[in-house]
Amino acid sequence: MKYKLVIFDFDGTIADTSPGILDAHRFALSYMGKNIPSDSELSTVIGGHLLDTYIHRFGFSETQAREAVRVYRERYAKVGIHKAELYPEFEEMAKKLYEKGYLIGVATLKAEKFAEIMLRELGIRKWFNTVCGMDEHDDLDKAGLIKKCCSLCEVSEKNTILVGDSNNDAIGARESGVDFLGVTYGFGFHKDQKYDFCTVDSVVDILGYLLNG
């Protein structure tokens, strides 16, 4: 078994969370008096660091951005967390990995408390050994969250792989020293493009890659 720990990104990898995320961004931007971009434009920030997104993509000062993040998370807690849809076959895949002795983690830039609630609502929390997400200080990036997963599971980075759907995931994997597998069914990567890492097109293909790689 090449890997001991398989870490999954959440948004666009485990579940389609776009309805709740877009709703929360629209609500926060409206609250802050900003024009609301189209859904297609908003979808490009899914999975990104919230504080950085509001500063660098939406032009807020750090103080304004922190207020926008607060509003976003309040709305997401009330509405967004209940709008996620698990990708087909994900639970079956996670169960098989768990039964074969893999440790399974989540590294997500969404608030950790939200990820925990959503995994339970989706009925799959039992298959995960650890869930690492953002705290109220927003002081971790993707690489830091990946390293936290490795530390909590007591597995070295060289025996770990991250599965994700965006450039942010690929960068986090590289910076943390873990291998990376991209999925093209989420928000960031596409079937008709070439990347400098391996990609798969379905949840079932993730299992095949891990068991046969």
Side-chain angles (χ1 to χ4, degrees), residues 6-74:
V6 182
I7 303 174
F8 291 93
D9 169 56
F10 199 112
D11 301 320
T13 304
I14 293 174
D16 180 359
T17 54
S18 57
I21 291 172
L22 297 181
D23 170 82
H25 276 309
R26 287 192 295 264
F27 187 88
L29 290 168
S30 177
Y31 178 90
M32 299 296 292
K34 291 281 187 175
N35 292 328
I36 300 174
S38 67
D39 283 357
S40 61
E41 183 177 349
L42 281 177
S43 67
T44 64
V45 305
I46 293 177
H49 191 289
L50 279 176
L51 192 61
D52 287 348
T53 294
Y54 280 104
I55 292 173
H56 299 299
R57 292 295 295 274
F58 299 136
F60 288 21
S61 68
E62 182 173 343
T63 299
Q64 291 172 325
R66 290 190 180 278
E67 175 66 2
V69 169
R70 182 191 68 78
V71 174
Y72 172 100
R73 287 185 172 149
E74 283 187 358

Side-chain angles (χ1 to χ4, degrees), residues 142-160:
K142 196 74 176 196
L145 292 165
I146 293 167
K147 286 181 172 291
K148 184 178 178 181
C149 278
C150 292
S151 176
L152 290 173
C153 290
E154 299 182 331
V155 176
S156 70
E157 284 80 0
K158 67 180 181 180
N159 296 125
T160 301

